[in-house]
Amino acid sequence: MAREVIVACDFDSPHTLTTFLDLFENDKPFVKIGMEMFYAGGPEIVQAVKNRGHKIFLDLKLHDIPQTVGKTMRVLSELDVDMTNLHCAGGSNMMKAAVEGLTRADGTRPLLIGVTQLTSTSQEMLEEELLIPQSMPKVVASYAANAHQCGLDGVVCSPLEAQSVHEELGKSFLTVTPGIRFTDSAADDQRRITTPQRAYELGSDMIVVGRPITQATDPVAAYTRCVKEFTR
Ligand code: C5P
């Protein structure tokens, strides 16, 4: 699968999103629609972005009992997005129900990836707040192995973990990596961060980049820089 730069369009209104996409005259970036945008614009905004010719990663990070997640995935399968996700922390039964729910009658389905640990989570938080007494790489590796076993296509993880995920679970198991910052941009609330170039070197398949592009003075230039650094 070709490497992709996905733009996290974390806006609070459909109008802001379409105004942002209007800036891109020559490119059709892969768009991530997250909770904020989906709760504001609903399925209609997904359709509108699709009609403009963009690929869509619907990032709703489902995490609930297996039946609820399975039935919700069935509804999402009808939105014709290219990729969606869930939290691996929901467990194996939930992940299997999700794969089943997402699969359409003709056997096709969007890519399904699992969130291992949020890139805003530090080792300290893992141990002291979540009471998980393991190292971050160990937790990520274990969640990723569960996701692989349940038939997911890949995981969301930090670029710092992409290499070991590929070593353990194979090159075709996708690593989708947020926590991307240029050397000269602010870290914001992200903790485990790398540059697009370093993410490339570490073997990320897809990088998810939000504020370094959406908040840039020239978003199109920032996107182009990202694509150049990441895909070479
Ligand atoms: O603005 P920024 O580049 O930090 O945005 C990163 C995006 O990736 C956000 O939309 C965030 O929800 C998402 N994300 C993340 N860490 C994960 C999973 C998703 O930052 N583990």
Side-chain angles (χ1 to χ4, degrees):
M1 183 162 295
R3 294 193 173 205
E4 301 269 11
V5 172
I6 302 177
V7 182
C9 293
D10 296 323
F11 302 118
D12 62 4
S13 81
H15 176 71
T16 318
L17 172 56
T18 49
T19 306
F20 172 76
L21 293 179
D22 283 342
L23 297 172
F24 294 83
E25 287 171 0
N26 304 316
D27 303 295
K28 291 275 177 211
F30 201 132
V31 168
K32 181 175 91 87
I33 295 181
M35 292 184 223
E36 185 183 2
M37 189 70 255
F38 192 71
Y39 291 143
E44 295 77 18
I45 188 62
V46 173
Q47 196 55 53
V49 174
K50 194 88 206 168
N51 291 345
R52 286 168 161 253
H54 296 267
K55 286 193 198 167
I56 299 178
F57 168 24
L58 187 58
D59 177 22
L60 299 182
K61 298 190 183 74
L62 300 195
H63 187 174
D64 209 317
I65 58 170
Q67 155 133 332
T68 301
V69 168
K71 287 170 84 177
T72 304
M73 286 294 183
R74 173 118 317 148
V75 174
L76 296 185
S77 73
E78 285 164 19
L79 294 185
D80 195 24
V81 297
D82 299 275
M83 184 158 84
T84 191
N85 65 355
L86 47 67
H87 267 287
C88 298
S92 297
N93 287 341
M94 188 202 79
M95 289 194 268
K96 286 178 193 158
V99 173
E100 202 185 315
L102 198 59
T103 307
R104 304 181 187 102
D106 64 1
T108 63
R109 66 164 170 79
L111 291 171
L112 179 62
I113 53 167
V115 176
T116 53
Q117 283 293 329
L118 296 173
T119 42
S120 54
T121 303
S122 63
Q123 180 67 44
E124 187 190 13
M125 187 179 155
L126 197 67
E127 289 172 26
E128 291 176 15
E129 261 184 67
L130 306 181
L131 302 185
I132 299 176
Q134 302 282 345
S135 70
M136 183 64 79
K138 236 182 168 174
V139 174
V140 171
S142 168
Y143 283 26
N146 287 348
H148 184 257
Q149 216 232 327
C150 293
L152 269 67
D153 303 293
V155 284
V156 185
C157 60
S158 152
L160 301 168
E161 292 133 11
Q163 207 162 19
S164 57
V165 168
H166 281 141
E167 276 165 16
E168 287 297 318
L169 303 168
K171 280 246 174 296
S172 60
F173 192 64
L174 299 173
T175 52
V176 179
T177 65
I180 303 296
R181 289 296 179 269
F182 295 121
T183 35
D184 48 352
S185 56
D188 304 308
D189 53 354
Q190 297 285 11
R191 289 293 167 267
R192 294 173 286 135
I193 56 174
T194 59
T195 62
Q197 190 177 339
R198 186 74 188 123
Y200 171 88
E201 290 159 4
L202 292 167
S204 294
D205 296 292
M206 303 181 181
I207 53 173
V208 178
V209 192
R211 287 160 289 183
I213 293 175
T214 57
Q215 306 299 312
T217 348
D218 184 346
V220 177
Y223 171 73
T224 309
R225 178 180 174 191
C226 233
V227 171
K228 239 186 215 153
E229 274 195 37
F230 185 61
T231 59
R232 302 240 167 139

